[in-house]
Each structure stands twice: as structure tokens, then as C-alpha cells.
């Protein structure tokens, strides 16, 4: 296959994880096709809680992904949203922080999907010794494929991509969801400094969009789980963004429980300012 200058084939060597990357991309594509087959044709929507739904498509997509990983990499552990921890054959628990763990969100944006809003994705990450090493995100509605490994660039459909290089915060379009004490005041403070906040309903896709500047930054204060961020956080980082937890510390920690993660991803020049603004409770 001929690859045009300036592009990187996702399946090509150049990363030590070339095989895993090709596998992950193919698998996320297959799961994306499964989601599209059932889109707007759902037979059942169940309630996980009053606000949280799960569809048969979430389960079918997860089964497809988990079985494929187990068949190809039986020595690897898996942490998946709907079925939880899958220990590797003769291996460690996925949350031990040792060894290789695939992190799976079979359908990110379930509420959108169940409501017929075409904004959702499949997210597959690989974490090695607690550190994100590979991430793929497939948006099957647009047939777009974001990917990165820790030793390579972020890519969209095989072409390398870069985070926003805007000079002024006042031009920023930010995926933003603040929560907790004085959230309204802090959101107002941020809004005054930027062009506009947005909320798409698929955190993984929104965070991946930071890698190519569709969103200049991503802020979600809590409510996220490892499967929302493992792939997309790495993609944003390899696109050149600085990615951190809301306290400015490391963004990925397998020991954090579900819905306990907050993330701020932004170009390095603006990361500190945004962090200050979202923490600032004083009315400005
Ligand atoms: C959710 C979505 C949503 C975000 C939540 C996630 P799900 O994932 O990404 O945008 O705000 O925190 O849990 O349940 O659709 O996979
Ligand atoms: Ca999710
Ligand atoms: Ca999900």
C-alpha cells in the first residue's frame, strides 16, 4: 500500500505496538458496524439508574470486543464497562497496575444512541503497567477513526493530527461539564473568557476531538471512568495537548473507581489558565 507523504498508516510498523494497533482498529470498526446495524432499531433500553440507560447494543458490542481480545491476547486482562474485570489467563487482576490491560467502552454516548442522536463512539485502550499505551476511537456515524500509541503521533484515518494552536483563549470552543461546589459560578467565569462551551454527550469522542482542534479544550469535572478516557486521553496527549486530572496531577489511574475521574485537556499554553479558572470559586 502506498502511503501519501505526511501520513502514517495505522497498521504500519513504526510503533512497537503495530500489531495491537491494527487489531484494535479492526475490532473497533467491527463494533462500530454492529452499533450502526442496530441504530434506531433498538428493541430494549434498560435503566442502570434513574438517569443512566443501557441498550442491547452496548452488551453486544462489548461481547464482540471482549471475546476478540480474549481469543487474540489470552495473556492480557480486560476492564470493560458492562462486564467489569476479566482477569488474564493465569494473570493479574486488571486493576493491579501490572501487565497489559485492555480498557473497553463498547458504546460511549449511550443516551445519544438510545435517543437517535448520531453522536457516539467505540473506545478501546491498552494500558501497560498502569500507563496508557494505545488508544483507538471509532465514530461509526462519520466513519472516522482516531488512534494513537504512546510512541507515535495521534492520527485521524491514518493522517497525523495536532491539537489547537489558537493564541487567544477568547477564541476557544470547549467541551465543558463542571460539577460540584460553585459550579455555576466557575462555569460563568470560564464562559466569560472563551468563545463558547459545548456538550456533545460522548466524553470519549469529545476528548479525542482535542487531538485535532475540533475542541480547543475538554473539561469534565468528575463522572468519568477509566473506559471513557483511557483511549481518548492518550489520543489528545499525542496530538500535543496537556492532559491532567482536575487537580493538575496525572490523568490516568487504574485504581480510581467508576465515575470518579475528572479531566482537563488543553494546549500546553492554556492548560494552566483553564485549570485556574475552573478551580476559582470567586465571582469575577
Ligand atoms: C458517558 C458519556 C457522557 C459523560 C459520562 C459518561 P456512556 O458514557 O461519555 O458524555 O458525561 O460521564 O459516563 O455511559 O455513554 O458510555
Ligand atoms: Ca462512556
Ligand atoms: Ca458506555
Amino acid at each position: 500500500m502506498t502511503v501519501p507523504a505526511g501520513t502514517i498508516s495505522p497498521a504500519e510498523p513504526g510503533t512497537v505496538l503495530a500489531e495491537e494497533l491494527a487489531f484494535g482498529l479492526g475490532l473497533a470498526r467491527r463494533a462500530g458496524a454492529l452499533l450502526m446495524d442496530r441504530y434506531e432499531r433498538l428493541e430494549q433500553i434498560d435503566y442502570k439508574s434513574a438517569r443512566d440507560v443501557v441498550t442491547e447494543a452496548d452488551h453486544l458490542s462489548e461481547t464482540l470486543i471482549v471475546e476478540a481480545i480474549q481469543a487474540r491476547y489470552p495473556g492480557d486482562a480486560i476492564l470493560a464497562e458492562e462486564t467489569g474485570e476479566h482477569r488474564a489467563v493465569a494473570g493479574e487482576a486488571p486493576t493491579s497496575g501490572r501487565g497489559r490491560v485492555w480498557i473497553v467502552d463498547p458504546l460511549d454516548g449511550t443516551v445519544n444512541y438510545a435517543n437517535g442522536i448520531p453522536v457516539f463512539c467505540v473506545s478501546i485502550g491498552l494500558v501497560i503497567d498502569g500507563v496508557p499505551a494505545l488508544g483507538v476511537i471509532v465514530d461509526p456515524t462519520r466513519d472516522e477513526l482516531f488512534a494513537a500509541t504512546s510512541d507515535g503521533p495521534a492520527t485521524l484515518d491514518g493522517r497525523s493530527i495536532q491539537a489547537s494552536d489558537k493564541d487567544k483563549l477568547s477564541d476557544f470552543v470547549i467541551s465543558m461539564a463542571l460539577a460540584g461546589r460553585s459550579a455555576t459560578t466557575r462555569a460563568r467565569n470560564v464562559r466569560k473568557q472563551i468563545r463558547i462551551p459545548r456538550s456533545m454527550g460522548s466524553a470519549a469522542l469529545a476528548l479525542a476531538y482535542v487531538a485535532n482542534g475540533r475542541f480547543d479544550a475538554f473539561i469534565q469535572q468528575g463522572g468519568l471512568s477509566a473506559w471513557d478516557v483511557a483511549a481518548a486521553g492518550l489520543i489528545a496527549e499525542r496530538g500535543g495537548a496537556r492532559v491532567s486530572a482536575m487537580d493538575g496531577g496525572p490523568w490516568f489511574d487504574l485504581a480510581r473507581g467508576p465515575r470518579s475521574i475528572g479531566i482537563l485537556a488543553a494546549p500546553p499554553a492554556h492548560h494552566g489558565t483553564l485549570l485556574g479558572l475552573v478551580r476559582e470559586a470567586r465571582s469575577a
Side-chain angles (χ1 to χ4, degrees), residues 48 52-53 58 81 105 107-111 200-204 220 222-225 227-228 259:
K48 282 186 182 173
D52 206 3
V53 292
D58 295 72
E81 179 175 10
D105 191 334
L107 166 49
D108 183 68
T110 296
V111 172
M200 293 206 305
S202 169
Q220 183 165 337
L224 295 168
S225 309
W227 44 81
D228 296 311
R259 302 200 171 275

Side-chain angles (χ1 to χ4, degrees), residues 163-165 172 216 236-237 239-243 265-274:
S164 169
D165 62 356
F172 269 39
D216 300 295
E237 200 165 66
R242 181 172 300 160
V243 184
H270 298 285
H271 184 276
T273 311
L274 284 170

